[in-house]
Amino acid sequence: LAGDVTPPPGARSFSVDDPTPIATAAAPEPAPIDVSLVEPARRPSLVAGQALYADRCADCHGATGLSDGVFVADLPAPPPLFAEADTLREQTPREVFATVTQGRMDKFMPPFSEALTDAQRWDVAAFVYTLSTPADELAAGGEVYAASCAECHGVDGSELRDWTSPTYFAEASPARLYAAITDGVPEAEEHAFVALSDAERWATIAYVRSLTYDTTAPLEPEIIGAQGAVSGAVTNGTPGAAIPEALIVTLYGFTDMSVATTLTTTIDADGRFAFAEVPYTPETQFILAADYQGTSYHSDVVAFAGDVAQLEVSLPIYETTEDPAALRIEQLHTFVMFETPGVVSVAQMAVFSNDGDRTYAPSSGQSVRFAVPAEAAGLFSPEGIEGETYYLTPEGYADGRPVPPGEATLQVFYQYTLPYTDQLSFAQPIGYPVGEANLLVGDAEVSLNGAGLEDQGVQTIQGLTFQQFSRTGLVAGESLAFEMSGGVAVAAEDGAAGTNTLTGLATDDPLTLGLGLGALVAVAGGIGWWWYRGRAGAAPAGSGQKITQEDWLQAIAELDDDYAAGKVTAAEYKRERAWLLSELQRVWRPDDQA
């Protein structure tokens, strides 16, 4: 129903990945809000309202208001038909705003008082009225207004009674306006336009209401049902390799980060594919996917541009290899944090590139491997699933994901703890060449030295202070080694679990600590900032909320916007986008979207 709002007591929750109803625990109802005191602060935006409706409402009410959303069958009663004009004719926008704000617990509609701002709820309230107004009706209403109303009320509706005022808009139901046209008003009996047909009056009312809306990016209601075309070709990036026969290609369309479209086809003898009727809205993003030799491949994230509703997309695939010779670690980041007396928390992130022309995908299902010190305890990856995306081995950690050719195509992140009693000898053999190794120590009092490590001074990351060391050019098989000693200033002195300065929660929650370390590692490495900037602030620490494909799509969209605005360089953009696409592949579950 809504991913980040509290469902009503005894309600059932749903997800796009798994629409099976799931029982949820009873939750207290939100405190009542006096909506009569909430005035629109600006003209409602139809563009914003459409995007919010698609994200928050369409799964139940249907994309075009036909009460045909994917969850309708699981509701106690079908939602109102917004596509029918009679549905909202007696209601004022304030009443619709009140319903959006408070929800309808008896109908399994959650309240959006916390999930949406006041302005966003007014945007949604305005948009739902447009679902029953075809473009031709709106145009006909404009003609009647120009001929019969504009002389007194002004071309833009701002004279006499200001129809452009959001306050007036909030209180006027379509039925009230119809009565004014039909019966006149006390101060102007000649206002009655008996010569107009019933259809002309309703069309004029729809046009008058549109004078209040902000249509900075003009919205045509029928755009919701628009269709475009997506075509392209599967290419095999391994020289001399053939295109497989009858490979299945799936097109996913995301509107406001929710799966809105899933289409499947089979490539022809030349490797080409075509989707002729692809539904979309202006906000829809697309990605193509195909499984080949046990590896899932994905295209870039694309969208229709302007009035051109056609896309040509390439979907590269590769042959596989069990030889890791082409792999290298571009960046290896190691964090050492002192959060609990007697132990140190170590988090490591490695960004892999594959300089070959084949995907590294061993038949064992375990790809890149890391050895960890023998004293390591609690080894895990907060971003993965043990036995599926990563494995614990006698030596340490093994990732379960393949490494496609290209730069920054795989990121590996794991953490563990080591005993620390004022001294630590650390030695970790790295089985791959490393371009740059960064070491950050979260306490200013300890001393550290190691072969090849250069002191980079003190760095502040996310409000925390670190000693920073770096080393370049490790060859495969060489060890990252250092000696650390000294008392710790930040650990709790009473022997109990310390306070996690990363999250403000106790460090006996390893997932919480892992997410905090993950954010620090990514920001320190200069990658992943687009995701952590939005996602880390939205997910409560320790909530266990998983990172989804929608999150990575959002991050890619934000990165594209920043690049277009000149906020990042071309080199940064290339590196960031490659990393984000690799993370999207990590969480992608095509079977879950079928």
Side-chain angles (χ1 to χ4, degrees):
L1 292 175
D4 58 353
V5 298
T6 301
R12 294 170 291 173
S13 60
F14 311 83
S15 71
V16 174
D17 292 340
D18 183 6
T20 305
I22 303 172
T24 61
E29 295 187 16
I33 296 176
D34 188 352
V35 296
S36 66
L37 302 178
V38 182
E39 298 294 338
R42 56 166 173 76
R43 299 171 67 188
S45 167
L46 287 192
V47 175
Q50 181 194 24
L52 291 165
Y53 177 89
D55 183 36
R56 307 285 183 160
C57 315
D59 282 343
C60 291
H61 290 279
T64 58
L66 289 173
S67 189
D68 57 354
V70 295
F71 298 148
V72 166
D74 297 295
L75 299 177
L81 279 166
F82 292 141
E84 296 290 339
D86 290 343
T87 300
L88 295 177
R89 279 180 175 171
E90 298 293 334
Q91 292 195 47
T92 67
R94 183 175 296 282
E95 291 171 322
V96 177
F97 174 84
T99 301
V100 175
T101 300
Q102 303 288 13
R104 286 290 305 272
M105 298 298 188
D106 57 323
K107 303 293 186 182
F108 286 0
M109 176 181 171
F112 289 89
S113 55
E114 298 294 333
L116 302 178
T117 65
D118 291 348
Q120 289 174 321
R121 281 176 271 137
W122 283 118
D123 293 340
V124 173
F127 175 73
V128 294
Y129 282 92
T130 70
L131 291 170
S132 61
T133 309
D136 56 352
E137 180 180 340
L138 196 64
E143 294 176 1
V144 174
Y145 180 88
S148 304
C149 313
E151 183 177 356
C152 295
H153 291 281
V155 174
D156 64 351
S158 62
E159 300 178 24
L160 294 181
R161 190 182 297 275
D162 187 1
W163 287 333
T164 67
S165 166
T167 301
Y168 182 78
F169 148 84
E171 310 300 340
S173 68
R176 173 181 166 183
L177 295 176
Y178 181 89
I181 293 177
T182 303
D183 304 325
V185 294
E187 61 268 27
E189 291 295 334
E190 69 277 7
H191 196 269
F193 292 96
V194 294
L196 296 178
S197 69
D198 198 57
E200 288 175 323
R201 296 176 206 180
W202 286 119
T204 304
I205 291 165
Y207 179 78
V208 167
R209 300 194 66 80
S210 74
L211 297 175
T212 311
Y213 304 144
D214 177 3
T215 54
T216 303
L219 172 68
E220 295 292 343
E222 71 270 20
I223 195 69
I224 298 174
Q227 293 184 335
V230 178
S231 58
V234 171
T235 61
N236 196 322
T238 303
I243 301 296
E245 296 182 1
L247 185 68
I248 297 175
V249 175
T250 302
L251 172 70
Y252 299 96
F254 291 82
T255 300
D256 296 298
M257 305 309 133
S258 296
V259 178
T261 302
T262 302
L263 301 173
T264 301
T265 191
T266 304
I267 62 173
D268 62 20
D270 297 321
R272 292 196 59 81
F273 53 83
F275 299 91
E277 298 180 349
V278 180
Y280 74 97
T281 68
E283 293 79 22
T284 302
Q285 295 176 284
F286 299 99
I287 190 169
L288 292 144
D291 289 339
Y292 178 56
Q293 294 185 351
T295 299
S296 293
Y297 294 95
H298 304 89
S299 71
D300 206 346
V301 180
V302 295
F304 295 128
D307 297 330
V308 180
Q310 294 183 341
L311 290 171
E312 179 74 14
V313 185
S314 176
L315 176 56
I317 62 173
Y318 300 89
E319 302 300 306
T320 59
T321 180
E322 300 205 20
D323 184 358
L327 302 185
R328 59 183 170 87
I329 298 176
E330 287 193 10
Q331 296 178 324
L332 175 63
H333 304 286
T334 302
F335 270 68
V336 178
M337 298 291 294
F338 299 87
E339 300 291 336
T340 303
V343 299
V344 293
S345 296
V346 179
Q348 292 187 296
M349 182 179 75
V351 180
F352 278 88
S353 293
N354 182 344
D355 295 328
D357 54 29
R358 293 173 179 265
T359 295
Y360 177 60
S363 57
S364 66
Q366 299 180 14
S367 60
V368 298
R369 297 169 176 266
F370 286 88
V372 300
E375 302 83 4
L379 176 62
F380 83 115
S381 173
E383 293 184 343
I385 302 173
E386 184 181 353
E388 182 175 333
T389 63
Y390 76 93
Y391 302 87
L392 301 183
T393 68
E395 296 77 23
Y397 177 93
D399 205 271
R401 296 166 291 165
V403 190
E407 296 182 8
T409 55
L410 178 66
Q411 172 209 314
V412 174
F413 175 53
Y414 58 88
Q415 70 176 79
Y416 52 90
T417 62
L418 292 172
Y420 183 77
T421 53
D422 296 343
Q423 188 170 358
L424 174 67
S425 295
F426 183 94
Q428 180 186 29
I430 308 297
Y432 313 91
V434 179
E436 181 179 12
N438 293 306
L439 174 63
L440 293 104
V441 181
D443 191 279
E445 301 299 322
V446 299
S447 61
L448 184 144
N449 62 79
L453 288 174
E454 296 184 5
D455 189 344
Q456 302 295 333
V458 175
Q459 182 177 172
T460 300
I461 305 173
Q462 301 287 281
L464 301 178
T465 300
F466 296 89
Q467 298 183 64
Q468 182 177 8
F469 303 85
S470 66
R471 181 179 178 183
T472 57
L474 277 76
V475 299
E478 193 173 0
S479 291
L480 174 66
F482 58 85
E483 299 286 333
M484 188 167 61
S485 62
V488 179
V490 299
E493 298 179 356
D494 58 2
T499 297
N500 187 347
T501 56
L502 297 174
T503 62
L505 298 177
T507 57
D508 56 3
D509 180 356
L511 179 60
T512 295
L513 180 59
L515 292 174
L517 285 171
L520 285 171
V521 171
V523 175
I527 63 175
W529 174 240
W530 279 265
W531 175 76
Y532 285 109
R533 178 178 60 188
R535 174 73 178 186
S543 65
Q545 187 171 339
K546 290 185 177 180
I547 309 167
T548 66
Q549 58 198 30
E550 289 82 1
D551 295 312
W552 296 117
L553 284 167
Q554 177 66 40
I556 290 169
E558 292 177 5
L559 175 60
D560 289 345
D561 291 342
D562 283 352
Y563 179 63
K567 296 181 180 179
V568 295
T569 66
E572 290 171 333
Y573 175 72
K574 180 179 179 181
R575 183 187 65 202
E576 289 277 356
R577 214 171 199 280
W579 179 75
L580 289 171
L581 287 171
S582 73
E583 287 303 288
L584 175 62
Q585 179 170 327
R586 178 177 61 80
V587 300
W588 193 267
R589 297 287 185 272
D591 293 343
D592 294 344
Q593 301 296 335

